[in-house]
Amino acid sequence: DVVKKEGYRIEKIIFESMPGFYVTGCLFIPEGVKERRPAILNAIGHSPQAFRRAAYQVVIHNLVKKGFVVFAIDPLGQGERLQYYDPEKKETLMGPGNPTVEHSYCGDQCFISGFSLARYWTWDCIRAIDYLLTRKEVDPERIGMTGCSGGGTQTAYASALDPRVKAAAPSCYLTSARRLLEFVGPQDAEHNFYRGIIEGVTSAELHVLRAPLPTLLVTTTRDYYSIQGARETFREVKRAYKALGKEEN
């Protein structure tokens, strides 16, 4: 389906990130695109509506009106990707309005099987980039990624592992493992790699792995996450960029 809006159009997209495992999303394309444009994969945080939530729509519309092609996808358990759907109530069996319960329910099954739900979050994003590269409107050398909260986590994962993400801006998720455990605890299942903390895999490690590609760490002083941990992580990661001669990135 295609929805036409003033200055852009929206294409409704469904793709398989793995056989039989469907990802839903929307591609926002500026009107009158003739040359290839830079594209943004917009990962979404914890919201039952996913990218349809008003706050996320503001970001998408801002980017598309600046000339970016924007691809927003539903995370597991959100939007059109409910994993425990009650067809009679037309909502999740886990209780409406709280996707974290869906995340942790299937995440616990992953942990006892010896892996993390983070693998699905990450692979969905990497396959979404694969899809973007099939579009004639998209410049393959100018792919960026951003997301807030849980979307910031997804941005950190995918941009660490996929060098096609030329610029990354993970938002409102960054802190250190120590500060996270001191303040709010380990978060949802997808925020944790299997044996991640004991093996020393933290958000800092993800950004060090990404170095020296351009990365903007977006944090605030009144977020759910500790700004102290964000500052500590920033200093740690910047040392890696400096060692590679790209401190400005």
Side-chain angles (χ1 to χ4, degrees), residues 3 32-33 66 68 71 133 175 191 244:
V3 178
V33 170
K66 284 181 167 66
F68 292 94
F71 192 22
L133 297 184
T175 192
H191 289 84
L244 294 168

Side-chain angles (χ1 to χ4, degrees), residues 26-191:
C26 280
L27 190 67
F28 297 75
I29 304 172
E31 192 175 66
V33 170
K34 295 181 180 178
E35 74 286 350
R36 290 180 179 268
R37 295 289 183 90
I40 303 292
L41 175 60
N42 187 202
I44 301 301
H46 295 73
S47 167
Q49 305 87 1
F51 62 84
R52 301 156 195 83
R53 184 179 177 181
Y56 292 125
Q57 286 285 306
V58 169
V59 175
I60 293 169
H61 294 160
N62 194 1
L63 289 168
V64 76
K65 288 180 179 180
K66 284 181 167 66
F68 292 94
V69 174
V70 182
F71 192 22
I73 61 173
D74 287 328
L76 279 176
Q78 297 171 232
E80 296 180 285
R81 294 186 71 195
L82 298 182
Q83 301 300 294
Y84 307 99
Y85 185 67
D86 184 336
E88 293 185 3
K89 294 183 177 180
K90 300 187 185 304
E91 62 186 33
T92 176
L93 290 165
M94 300 293 128
N98 190 7
T100 61
V101 180
E102 276 220 6
H103 296 178
S104 291
Y105 190 83
C106 55
D108 286 346
Q109 297 173 69
C110 292
F111 284 137
I112 63 175
S113 301
F115 63 95
S116 170
L117 193 65
R119 65 183 291 189
Y120 296 103
W121 255 250
T122 307
W123 189 243
D124 285 351
C125 292
I126 290 173
R127 293 295 286 154
I129 294 170
D130 288 343
Y131 175 76
L132 278 174
L133 297 184
T134 70
R135 300 292 304 223
K136 66 181 187 301
E137 301 92 345
V138 172
D139 182 346
E141 296 303 317
R142 293 190 291 171
I143 302 290
M145 187 172 178
T146 191
C148 182
S149 189
T153 305
Q154 295 169 68
T155 301
Y157 290 169
S159 65
L161 297 173
D162 196 329
R164 296 175 299 178
V165 180
K166 303 302 183 185
S171 172
C172 294
Y173 98 101
L174 182 69
T175 192
S176 65
R178 174 188 168 185
R179 303 301 177 188
L180 183 68
L181 295 176
E182 286 176 344
F183 279 84
V184 295
Q187 301 299 92
D188 294 359
E190 74 276 10
H191 289 84

Side-chain angles (χ1 to χ4, degrees), residues 156 173-177 193 200-208 229 233 237:
Y173 98 101
L174 182 69
T175 192
S176 65
F193 295 105
V201 180
T202 66
S203 57
E205 300 298 320
L206 293 171
H207 297 304
V208 167
T233 299
V237 176

